[in-house]
Amino acid sequence: MIAYMAEPEQNVPRVCRVLIVEDDPAVQHVFKTLLAAEGFECLVARDAPSTRSALAAGDVDVAIMDVMLPGAENGLALAQEAAERGCGVIVVTGHHDRYDAVEASGHKYLFKPFRVRALLDVLDEVLRRANAECRVNGQSYRK
């Protein structure tokens, strides 16, 4: 019996990686479950140190960043760090009193609660803007 092995496809980008920065385990789970079902690879961080560690490891295409995190630092400062590393950024918050700061950040944002479709649409837009070199369900975001 002869086994046939297909040649690996050349220059096919890896699966898009999303860093979910959220301190609430239930919200982490919802994001991770939803995005994994859509074909994304997900990483989770709950605070500034774990976010920086994930960003330093590299290969993060988009960070979904909650504004309110435990500790002295907030998600907006971390969002700027992620953007400086070349990640696309989506800021999310349930604190509508943070509108001015979120708007001034220059990042795409969603206020909780939001619809799944809204998140996926913004995620698609951010991947395209960031010229991400990755794929989701066969769709390439390579420039």
Side-chain angles (χ1 to χ4, degrees), residues 19 51 55 60-65 75-91 105-108 126 129-130:
L19 174 60
T51 299
L55 290 171
V60 173
D61 299 295
V62 175
I64 299 176
M65 197 79 60
L76 291 176
L78 293 169
Q80 187 57 40
E81 289 182 37
E84 289 169 0
R85 291 179 178 264
C87 291
V89 174
I90 301 170
V91 176
S105 75
H107 302 296
K108 295 302 279 182
V126 169
R129 274 189 182 180

Side-chain angles (χ1 to χ4, degrees), residues 66-138:
D66 189 15
V67 172
M68 302 301 290
L69 297 171
E73 296 179 274
N74 68 39
L76 291 176
L78 293 169
Q80 187 57 40
E81 289 182 37
E84 289 169 0
R85 291 179 178 264
C87 291
V89 174
I90 301 170
V91 176
V92 296
T93 187
H95 298 273
H96 294 264
D97 59 331
R98 303 271 193 238
Y99 177 82
D100 290 337
V102 169
E103 175 76 16
S105 75
H107 302 296
K108 295 302 279 182
Y109 58 87
L110 293 167
F111 282 97
K112 298 175 188 174
F114 50 81
R115 296 190 182 278
V116 170
R117 183 78 260 151
L119 173 63
L120 296 175
D121 289 346
V122 170
L123 189 51
D124 181 62
E125 181 182 345
V126 169
L127 282 166
R128 289 183 192 289
R129 274 189 182 180
N131 295 315
E133 293 192 12
C134 59
R135 66 180 163 72
V136 177
N137 293 330

